[in-house]
Amino acid sequence: MRLDGAEAARAMDVLGNREAPRLVSMVKAMVPERVCQIIRPGIQIHGATGVSQWTPLAGMYTSQRTLRIADGPDEVHHMVVGRAELSRH
């Protein structure tokens, strides 16, 4: 399934916040996870410089990793999505 943030926002507008938790949880879990997966190789490529203040990579990774915890642990969002998918069948 392809999902973007606009689809989740549209579902919230049309269906309401109570009807869109599956899509919202998908976005809250998938986007920060993917961003970390994108930033991590950049850090590796730059070696020690990648985790220094000389590049924005360390700060970018730290803020995304913090978001993955502060916005609710990934596992909770995965559980919400899994329950919603199971209830559909």
Side-chain angles (χ1 to χ4, degrees):
M1 166 189 258
R2 185 164 185 246
L3 174 74
D4 61 13
E7 182 180 346
R10 192 170 26 259
M12 288 175 65
D13 287 343
V14 174
L15 303 173
N17 292 349
R18 296 181 138 251
E19 300 299 321
R22 178 181 63 91
L23 294 173
V24 171
S25 284
M26 282 182 178
V27 170
K28 284 183 175 184
M30 293 169 57
V31 171
E33 283 177 12
R34 186 64 184 136
V35 171
C36 285
Q37 290 174 355
I38 292 168
I39 296 169
R40 197 175 310 123
I43 291 172
Q44 288 292 105
I45 289 169
H46 286 84
T49 304
V51 293
S52 72
Q53 300 302 313
W54 296 344
T55 68
L57 294 170
M60 291 164 57
Y61 187 83
T62 301
S63 64
Q64 286 302 310
R65 189 64 184 108
T66 302
L67 182 62
R68 288 175 62 185
I69 298 167
D71 203 20
D74 295 343
E75 290 77 11
V76 173
H77 294 301
H78 289 271
M79 184 178 64
V80 169
V81 172
R83 282 185 181 165
E85 290 299 317
L86 286 173
S87 70
R88 293 172 67 188
H89 298 286

